[in-house]
């Protein structure tokens, strides 16, 4: 995104607790104006392409059964959000299924190279300029499992965050040749945020039902850091060198480079 002045960096914040359905309803109600603007922006992009919005929503629906199996809690949040925002769930699900052409970069460092011995995770959200108006910070406390905080577009696209179990996740786009029918990659970060430990986070990132994937950068408060460089059908785990990891928008692992397709 273009460089902003300090006033632009103040993010709307919101907190909710309860069931995933009720938290979704509350979040949708709070951000319905922002969501409508995001939806209008998305529809304007589709209007100039070969695939119309309604045709795209029908195509996206084919991925829904995979999402239901992979992360039913997040789907409950999404349905509650649609109700709270007064929106069609089909429109919301298409936003969550839409591919993106972003250029985010992520950095992980731990006690092996930090002066204070702490672990840090950094993410640049390099997306369309219009998306700057949709960014918010959300804090959720579900009835069961870890609570978590995340940066989001309109409260529905969970981009990057951390949870009370000491895990954090960020992600950056990869361009791959093995995309298929399956769980949209936007669903994976929420599943990681619901994890209780590093093994659960990795399992969420390498789930075989994915239809595509980001590179997921995962850190734990213990200092463990790694990247799950995944595609729809394969993955590699990258470990730090001298206490740091950096990842952008191309495959680093030699095995994964066969899935590389044209950038953007």
């Amino acid at each position: 995104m273009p460089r902003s002045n300090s006033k632009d960096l103040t993010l709307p914040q919101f907190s909710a607790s309860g069931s995933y359905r009720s938290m979704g309803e509350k979040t949708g109600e709070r951000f319905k104006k922002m969501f409508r603007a995001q939806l209008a922006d998305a529809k304007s992009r589709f209007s100039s392409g070969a695939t119309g919005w309604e045709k795209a929503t029908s195509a996206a629906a084919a991925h829904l059964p995979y999402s239901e199996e992979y992360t039913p809690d997040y789907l409950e949040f999404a349905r509650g959000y649609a109700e709270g925002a007064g929106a069609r769930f089909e429109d919301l699900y298409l936003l969550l299924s839409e591919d993106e052409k972003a250029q985010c970069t992520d950095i992980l460092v731990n006690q092996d190279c930090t002066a204070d011995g702490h672990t840090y995770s950094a993410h640049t959200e390099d997306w369309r300029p219009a998306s700057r108006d949709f960014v918010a910070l959300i804090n959720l406390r579900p009835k069961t499992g870890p609570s978590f905080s995340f940066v989001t577009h309109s409260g529905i696209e969970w981009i990057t965050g951390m949870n009370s179990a000491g895990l954090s996740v960020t992600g950056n786009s990869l361009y791959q040749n093995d995309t298929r029918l399956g769980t949209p990659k936007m669903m994976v970060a929420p599943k990681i945020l619901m994890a209780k430990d590093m093994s659960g986070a990795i399992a969420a990132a390498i789930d075989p039902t994915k239809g595509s994937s980001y590179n997921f950068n995962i850190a734990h408060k213990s200092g463990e850091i790694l990247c799950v460089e995944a595609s729809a059908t394969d993955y590699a785990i990258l470990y730090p060198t001298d206490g740091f990891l950096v990842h952008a928008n191309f495959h680093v692992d030699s095995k994964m480079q066969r899935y590389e397709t044209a950038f953007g």
Side-chain angles (χ1 to χ4, degrees):
M1 295 181 187
R3 181 174 297 177
S4 304
N5 60 41
S6 58
K7 183 178 180 180
D8 293 329
L9 297 177
T10 302
L11 299 181
Q13 298 187 32
F14 181 71
S15 299
S17 61
S19 68
Y20 279 97
R21 187 78 172 219
S22 68
M23 291 191 297
E25 289 176 5
K26 296 169 189 174
T27 307
E29 172 66 26
R30 167 62 179 83
F31 291 100
K32 59 185 176 183
K33 183 177 180 180
M34 185 182 288
F35 175 76
R36 289 168 185 164
Q38 183 181 358
L39 184 61
D41 175 66
K43 286 184 174 182
S44 69
R45 287 184 280 107
F46 272 78
S47 67
S48 61
T51 303
W53 184 261
E54 292 303 321
K55 184 177 180 180
T57 58
S58 296
H63 296 266
L64 186 56
Y66 299 92
S67 305
E68 295 277 14
E69 180 178 354
Y70 175 72
T71 178
D73 286 337
Y74 180 61
L75 264 292
E76 277 297 287
F77 179 91
R79 288 191 169 94
Y81 184 103
E83 292 174 3
R88 295 196 313 169
F89 174 77
E90 294 83 355
D91 290 338
L92 185 152
Y93 189 75
L94 176 54
L95 286 180
L96 297 175
S97 305
E98 184 187 8
D99 195 16
E100 66 170 34
K101 301 183 184 301
Q103 293 86 45
C104 304
T105 302
D106 297 85
I107 302 171
L108 296 169
V109 293
N110 66 13
Q111 65 276 5
D112 291 341
C113 70
T114 55
D116 60 7
H118 291 167
T119 300
Y120 294 93
S121 175
H123 171 80
T124 67
E125 184 64 11
D126 298 317
W127 197 206
R128 291 185 301 271
S131 296
R132 180 176 57 187
D133 297 329
F134 311 142
V135 181
L137 177 64
I138 308 295
N139 307 291
L140 297 182
R141 186 181 296 274
K143 287 184 175 180
T144 59
S147 56
F148 37 87
S149 301
F150 53 91
V151 176
T152 171
H153 287 172
S154 304
I156 187 60
E157 296 181 3
W158 303 6
I159 302 166
T160 177
M162 62 184 73
N163 72 14
S164 59
L167 288 165
S168 74
V169 60
T170 65
N172 42 333
S173 295
L174 295 171
Y175 302 93
Q176 303 157 342
N177 58 23
D178 65 340
T179 57
R180 60 180 181 177
L181 194 65
T183 302
K185 59 188 176 182
M186 188 66 74
M187 309 283 175
V188 181
K191 183 81 168 181
I192 293 173
L193 285 171
M194 296 174 191
K196 298 178 180 179
D197 52 35
M198 182 63 89
S199 63
I202 294 172
I206 65 174
D207 188 271
T209 70
K210 296 196 312 299
S212 60
S213 187
Y214 294 115
N215 173 75
F216 294 101
N217 310 280
I218 306 172
H220 187 263
K221 62 182 179 181
S222 64
E224 185 177 4
I225 57 176
L226 55 84
C227 292
V228 179
E229 190 176 83
S231 69
T233 60
D234 208 349
Y235 71 90
I237 298 180
L238 311 180
Y239 295 98
T241 300
D242 298 326
F244 70 91
L245 274 165
V246 179
H247 205 287
N249 304 110
F250 55 90
H251 297 85
V252 175
D253 184 83
S254 58
K255 179 185 73 168
M256 297 304 295
Q257 289 173 3
R258 61 181 171 171
Y259 300 109
E260 190 83 27
T261 189
F263 179 78

